[in-house]
């Protein structure tokens, strides 16, 4: 199949018929569910842009596997310039949707599995890389969306996987036969999983020699029997169903987070890419995390752009856009946002070729990028709350706006600067509310903190990559000091 359009993609998801539970009810047609629909449209945008005459260069690439044009979201990066274009594409998606567009995690997982499986085969004589390359060529040919599933429930964080009271809190192999394995467990916080054709599962952490059952990487179609999906709640999520921007802020687009349970699911051999090789679990986790930490230097920046734009617009609507402190706050927001972008671009530009042939980001700079992402969007959101004013927490509903008794009062007392339509002003305020305190803040703030690992995970990587001894050596060299090793 050639590159899908957004509507072809949405139809293809409709056909999957996933076993999902949303707000306590079994949902047979997730693609049409009012809570899911905005998130589906956000993924569809990644398909439509591949056909857009201005954006197709950014959203497509030539696959080294098939020799054909593929959507960049399924591309194996072939150069540092490819890594840079990935970040630029993610920023563009954030600009178009103002939310998490969900397709990055599979791209990041694929690039990590591609190089790790190659190095595993070389060291241990396994044949995972050939399998994965064949699998991924099919993904590209079908233009599928793939969810990357790393995060296990983890139970007691102070205990190793095998020490847990319930061993299933780390996804594991519970049976095996000549044709494949049977897995049991769950993955939490799965971004866009109900909007995905496939799920690519990876271990959640670096594993030790006696933890082989947890060192498993494989892929399954999302409609495989035994996969059960439980939809994650988000602040104000039911406002999405109301379909009114004067209540929901962003009715067009939104994110999606899902818990998935694996109820003793069979995985055929050709879909297994790691099976007990604990010594390669760390490489896989580290590489996936690094690509995903790079991703945030694009997607969060794109969402930051529209939040900054909304703040500039509301300041204009409020008649304070020329005030020095508002201009200074907007400048600070831009500075923080562009610093994140600079980190995303820097770790990409310093990318290097892996033995498998695809390109890997600079590990130190990707971790610096993500550590900044755990902070700067929070400061941008704080400044946005300042500029927007208290109405983002106190606005009446659209039903009151439309009510013949209350509506005129709302129009009279919520008017802003001369010539500003009150309803437009309300829509902008709701848009800001969505990102700093509503459903949109899951992607803009909570995911910025925890997605691709919490801040401590980046600090550990930064301290490992920083070559502190090298810095000490530089000082000793300048000062002529010997010893002190
Ligand atoms: C919006 C969102 C989207 C996400 N999307 C995806 C996705 O698509 N795919 C995916 O696989 N994952 C996804 N994640 C998961 C993300 O990677 C995890 O949330 C993150 O790794 C933190 O894990 P946790 O949520 O279990 O928190 P915890 O591990 O419970 O961490 C909570 C705190 O405890 C600390 N802590 C944890 N363990 C230890 C320990 N052993 N010793 C000391 N301190 C510890 C942490 O540093 C942190 O401060 C997403 C998360 C969010 C919030």
């Amino acid at each position: 199949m050639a590159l899908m359009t957004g509507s072809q993609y949405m139809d293809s998801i409709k056909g999957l018929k996933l076993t999902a539970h949303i707000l306590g009810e079994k949902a047979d047609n997730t693609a049409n569910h009012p809570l899911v629909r905005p998130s589906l449209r956000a993924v569809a945008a990644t398909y439509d842009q591949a056909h857009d005459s201005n954006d197709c260069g950014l959203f497509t690439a030539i696959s080294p596997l098939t020799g054909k044009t593929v959507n960049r979201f399924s591309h194996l990066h072939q150069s540092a310039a490819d890594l840079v274009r990935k970040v630029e594409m993610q920023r563009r998606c954030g600009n178009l949707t103002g939310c998490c567009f969900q397709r990055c995690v599979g791209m990041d997982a694929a690039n990590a599995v591609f190089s790790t499986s190659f190095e595993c085969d070389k060291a241990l004589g396994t044949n995972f890389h050939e399998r994965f390359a064949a699998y991924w060529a099919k993904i590209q040919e079908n233009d599928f969306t793939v969810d990357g599933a790393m995060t296990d429930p983890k139970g007691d964080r102070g205990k190793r996987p095998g020490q847990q009271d319930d061993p299933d809190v780390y996804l594991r192999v519970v049976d095996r036969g000549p044709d494949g394995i049977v897995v049991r467990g769950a993955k939490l916080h799965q971004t866009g999983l109900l909007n995905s054709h496939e799920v690519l599962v990876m271990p959640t952490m670096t594993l030790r020699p006696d933890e082989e059952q947890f060192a498993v990487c494989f892929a399954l179609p999302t409609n495989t029997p035994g996969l059960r999906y439980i939809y994650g709640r988000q602040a104000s999520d039911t406002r999405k169903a109301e379909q009114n921007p004067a209540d929901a802020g962003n009715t067009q687009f939104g994110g999606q987070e899902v818990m998935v349970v694996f109820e003793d699911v069979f995985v055929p051999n050709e879909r297994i890419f790691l099976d007990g090789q604990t010594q390669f679990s760390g490489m896989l986790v580290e590489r996936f995390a690094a690509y995903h930490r790079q991703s945030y230097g694009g997607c969060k920046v794109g969402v930051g752009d529209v939040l900054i734009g909304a703040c500039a617009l509301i300041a204009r609507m409020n008649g304070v856009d020329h005030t020095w402190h508002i201009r200074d706050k907007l400048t600070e927001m831009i500075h923080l946002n562009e610093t994140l972008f600079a980190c995303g671009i820097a770790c990409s530009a310093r990318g290097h070729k892996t033995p498998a042939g695809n390109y890997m980001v600079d590990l130190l700079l990707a971790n610096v990028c993500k550590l900044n992402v755990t902070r700067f969007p929070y400061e941008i959101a704080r400044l946005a709350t300042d500029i927007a004013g208290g109405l983002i927490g106190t606005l009446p509903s659209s039903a009151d706006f439309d009510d013949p008794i209350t509506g005129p009062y709302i129009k009279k007392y919520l008017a802003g600067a001369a010539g500003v339509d009150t309803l437009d002003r309300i829509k902008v305020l709701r848009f800001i509310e969505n990102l700093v305190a509503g459903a949109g803040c899951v992607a803009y703030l909570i995911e910025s903190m925890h997605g691709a690992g919490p801040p401590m995970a980046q600090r550990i990587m930064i301290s490992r990559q920083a070559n502190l001894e090298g810095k000490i050596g530089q000082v000793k060299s300048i000062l002529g000091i010997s010893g002190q090793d």
Side-chain angles (χ1 to χ4, degrees), residues 363-378:
L363 279 185
L364 174 60
L365 295 183
N367 280 281
V368 169
C369 178
K370 171 66 203 329
L371 193 57
N372 283 334
V373 169
T374 66
R375 298 173 181 164
F376 295 179
Y378 283 86

Side-chain angles (χ1 to χ4, degrees), residues 203-273:
T204 204
M205 63 195 282
T206 301
L207 295 159
R208 296 177 184 166
D210 60 341
E211 296 171 336
E212 283 80 9
Q213 59 180 314
F214 308 103
V216 63
C217 173
F218 59 87
L220 287 170
T222 45
N223 59 0
T224 301
L227 293 185
R228 188 176 296 279
Y229 303 95
I230 309 171
Y231 203 71
R233 286 222 73 170
Q234 299 179 342
S236 315
D237 53 3
T238 45
R239 288 200 209 170
K240 288 179 194 172
E242 296 168 20
Q243 280 299 304
N244 191 329
D247 283 309
N250 190 350
T251 49
Q252 271 277 92
F253 303 110
Q256 176 191 113
E257 305 300 336
V258 183
M259 167 178 175
V260 55
V261 182
F262 294 74
E263 299 168 326
D264 289 5
V265 183
F266 176 72
V267 185
N269 284 331
E270 65 274 17
R271 284 173 162 272
I272 302 171
F273 314 121

Side-chain angles (χ1 to χ4, degrees), residues 9 18 35 54 58 60 90 153 189 200 224 269 347 375-376 383 443 446 462:
Y9 156 73
L18 307 180
L35 261 58
N54 290 323
L58 198 55
T60 60
Q90 290 167 315
H189 322 286
L200 177 51
T224 301
N269 284 331
C347 69
R375 298 173 181 164
F376 295 179
L383 292 167
I446 300 170
I462 288 170

Side-chain angles (χ1 to χ4, degrees), residues 36 397 481:
V36 176
S397 73
I481 296 173

Side-chain angles (χ1 to χ4, degrees), residues 105 148-151 154 157 189-191 257 442 447 450 452-454:
V105 67
M150 179 164 277
T151 310
K154 298 184 297 223
R157 271 78 172 144
H189 322 286
Q190 295 308 300
T191 300
E257 305 300 336
V442 172
E447 193 175 43
H450 281 294

Side-chain angles (χ1 to χ4, degrees), residues 26-219:
K26 195 138 176 290
D28 293 328
N29 188 350
T30 58
N32 276 340
H33 195 285
L35 261 58
V36 176
R37 196 82 180 152
S39 67
L40 195 67
R41 282 196 287 260
V43 186
T46 70
Y47 284 88
D48 279 334
Q49 292 318 106
H51 297 272
D52 181 275
S53 55
N54 290 323
D55 275 351
C56 60
L58 198 55
F59 280 72
T60 60
I62 303 294
S63 165
L65 298 178
T66 66
K68 293 181 191 154
T69 300
V70 294
N71 192 298
R72 190 175 293 284
F73 278 99
S74 67
H75 187 45
L76 299 167
H77 318 297
Q78 295 302 294
S79 62
D82 259 356
L83 290 167
V84 168
R85 279 191 283 268
K86 170 195 162 187
V87 172
E88 290 171 343
M89 170 182 75
Q90 290 167 315
R91 184 173 189 169
R92 177 90 179 112
C93 287
N95 290 170
L96 289 167
T97 63
C99 73
C100 169
F101 36 88
Q102 307 145 57
R103 209 175 165 188
C104 310
V105 67
M107 160 176 60
D108 293 340
N111 274 279
V113 177
F114 187 76
S115 63
T116 304
S117 59
F118 183 90
E119 287 169 58
C120 178
D121 287 0
K122 217 167 158 212
L124 304 177
T126 47
N127 67 338
F128 297 129
H129 185 71
E130 198 183 321
R131 280 182 193 173
F132 184 74
Y135 166 73
W136 200 253
K138 281 192 193 136
I139 295 297
Q140 291 183 331
E141 274 167 8
N142 287 291
D143 201 10
F144 279 163
T145 288
V146 179
D147 172 65
M150 179 164 277
T151 310
D152 286 334
K154 298 184 297 223
D156 182 339
R157 271 78 172 144
K159 291 181 178 170
R160 298 292 305 176
Q163 299 169 336
Q164 299 287 335
D165 291 344
D166 180 352
D168 297 343
V169 293
Y170 283 82
L171 188 139
R172 65 196 180 113
V173 178
V174 291
D175 201 1
R176 63 176 62 246
D179 301 328
I181 56 175
V182 176
V183 295
R184 183 189 304 160
K187 293 284 180 184
L188 305 189
H189 322 286
Q190 295 308 300
T191 300
L193 187 46
L194 293 181
N195 297 336
S196 303
H197 303 90
E198 293 266 331
V199 57
L200 177 51
V201 173
M202 300 162 283
T204 204
M205 63 195 282
T206 301
L207 295 159
R208 296 177 184 166
D210 60 341
E211 296 171 336
E212 283 80 9
Q213 59 180 314
F214 308 103
V216 63
C217 173
F218 59 87

